[in-house]
Amino acid sequence: MVGRLAGKNCIVTGAAGGIGLETCILFVKEGANVVMADINPEALEKAAAIVNHFRTDTEVKQVICDVSSEQSVQELVAAADPWGGVDVMFNNAGIMHGKDDDAINTPEKIWDLTQNINVKGVWFGSKHAVLSFRKHNKKATSVINTASFVALMGAATPQLAYTASKGAVLAMTRELAMIHAREGFRFNSLCPGPLNTPLLQEWLGDDVEKRFRREVHFPSGRFGEAIEQAHAVVFLASDESSFVNGTDFLVDGGLSKAYVTAQ
Ligand code: NAD
């Protein structure tokens, strides 16, 4: 059976984390070659071992990369050159810092760190993907940038640097989609709802009140799972979504459409 991503070379940043790892697994299952990139070498090693378990006749590479460094991202994108260049770029790495707070209490260095990784990282990934698409004369490519549902909704629980960064991802992705549409380069944002991954669960920790302030708003009554995001990413990466461009692709269990939740 031919996979939905057969013949595609894919790069995933934040590949050792919740969404990134699940996506890499689905990408290789769907027949893609995958470059897995993460800043955390030990976690990346473990994640790559898992992904390799699902690999058949495709290739998997690991690259240690800090997406906030342009040189690091340039080297990452070059890792797909021996395969004929990248076709799918998933700019997914992101942080939500424990000291991220409201306008008064967010330290400036946390603000800067968050924007450097969450916004500049997506810009560098998009920029070097476009340069590579042109270099390899690609005509049908897909860039998926991970934003968040908080880019579309006002959160009453403060995480100001993170929220601002994800709003920037959404706006940047929309413009990239327009600018490059006639070259055949698609750009979409993935907007996950709150998930069962370390990023959010470690941030919430055992703060019951903080957790309840969120859980009460879930129409489905539960956090989302990383695999549920990964399935959406496969669609956006594949040619099945060839006419989907510039979207804020929400995978949030209906959270953003809720007025009040059912009992
Ligand atoms: P995660 O923390 O499980 O994984 C994130 C990965 O990114 C980690 O492996 C981490 O090492 C890596 N990373 C961090 N900084 C990096 C850097 N500078 N360069 C390269 N890699 C770096 O998180 P996740 O839940 O899988 O989140 C993935 C994306 O989804 C993030 O952009 C996040 O903001 C977004 N998101 C998550 C949720 C959620 O509830 N978990 C909701 C909405 C959006």
Side-chain angles (χ1 to χ4, degrees), residues 77-121:
V77 174
D81 279 350
W83 297 338
V86 62
D87 300 287
V88 173
M89 183 83 193
F90 183 27
N91 292 308
N92 165 69
I95 60 158
M96 184 161 70
H97 201 280
K99 291 195 176 135
D100 194 352
D101 205 312
D102 61 14
I104 317 302
N105 295 314
T106 303
E108 188 176 348
K109 70 172 196 305
I110 299 304
W111 178 276
D112 289 343
L113 177 71
T114 304
Q115 310 313 320
N116 283 342
I117 296 171
N118 293 10
V119 184
K120 237 160 65 165

Side-chain angles (χ1 to χ4, degrees), residues 14 17-19 38-39 65-67 92 146-147 162 166 192-193 195 197 199:
I19 299 174
D38 205 283
I39 200 169
C65 169
D66 175 359
V67 295
N92 165 69
T146 306
Y162 181 82
K166 295 304 187 179
L195 304 181
T197 70
L199 180 130

Side-chain angles (χ1 to χ4, degrees), residues 207-221:
D207 188 333
V208 176
E209 201 185 327
K210 207 162 147 184
R211 187 172 282 277
F212 180 72
R213 277 291 279 128
R214 286 164 174 77
E215 284 180 0
V216 72
H217 298 291
F218 300 171
S220 53

Side-chain angles (χ1 to χ4, degrees), residues 27-41:
F27 276 7
V28 296
K29 282 186 174 176
E30 292 294 346
N33 295 317
V34 179
V35 182
M36 299 178 65
D38 205 283
I39 200 169
N40 181 334

Side-chain angles (χ1 to χ4, degrees), residues 176-197:
L176 286 164
M178 299 305 107
I179 297 289
H180 298 289
R182 301 224 172 176
E183 294 179 273
F185 309 159
R186 294 185 296 115
F187 289 79
N188 290 288
S189 293
L190 177 76
C191 296
L195 304 181
N196 242 335
T197 70

